[in-house]
Amino acid sequence: SNDLYIHACGYSYSSTFFPEKQEHFGISIVEAMSAGLVPIVYNDGGPAEIVKTTGVGYTYNTIEEAAACVIAYNKTSDEEKQIMRDKAIKGSAFYQDKKFSTRLRKILA
């Protein structure tokens, strides 16, 4: 599907033993979401947190699960896909500079 963004950074590496192999934030995911793409991300690090925080997208632990996410998305109605794409755009706004810096200042205060 051309409205999915599949991200695999960190896949097959233990975050305990190879934390440097994990995606720590995942700006490319946020950028994809801002273009209306629904993310499918490896279930670790920043990418999984983005999906959890925004409430849009899928996480996977294995290649088979990633494929199942694609299949599940493709089985949804066109209306539901549009809702997810719109939610991805809105979710990406959570990470806009101004909003992000405001939240960061509150945390650091």
Side-chain angles (χ1 to χ4, degrees):
S1 180
N2 61 358
D3 44 352
L4 292 174
Y5 178 75
I6 301 173
H7 190 274
C9 184
Y11 176 74
S12 80
Y13 290 99
S14 164
S15 60
T16 303
F17 299 109
F18 300 100
E20 72 280 5
K21 299 288 187 180
Q22 303 304 311
E23 179 77 66
H24 300 289
F25 175 66
I27 192 67
S28 65
I29 297 159
V30 174
E31 290 173 352
M33 290 172 64
S34 73
L37 301 179
V38 176
I40 297 176
V41 303
Y42 179 57
N43 191 23
D44 203 355
E49 192 62 33
I50 290 169
V51 168
K52 178 182 169 187
T53 299
T54 63
V56 65
Y58 303 86
T59 60
Y60 65 89
N61 293 302
T62 66
I63 294 298
E64 293 78 16
E65 288 177 8
C69 292
V70 172
I71 292 167
Y73 179 81
N74 285 328
K75 286 184 177 180
T76 62
S77 69
D78 289 342
E79 181 180 336
E80 183 63 27
K81 287 177 186 174
Q82 187 60 53
I83 290 168
M84 291 178 76
R85 290 191 301 266
D86 292 343
K87 193 172 180 182
I89 293 168
K90 289 177 186 167
S92 72
F94 182 78
Y95 298 98
Q96 288 177 343
D97 290 345
K98 188 172 184 179
K99 291 181 182 183
F100 190 75
S101 64
T102 300
R103 285 192 313 279
L104 183 60
R105 280 192 204 100
K106 286 181 183 179
I107 292 169
L108 297 176

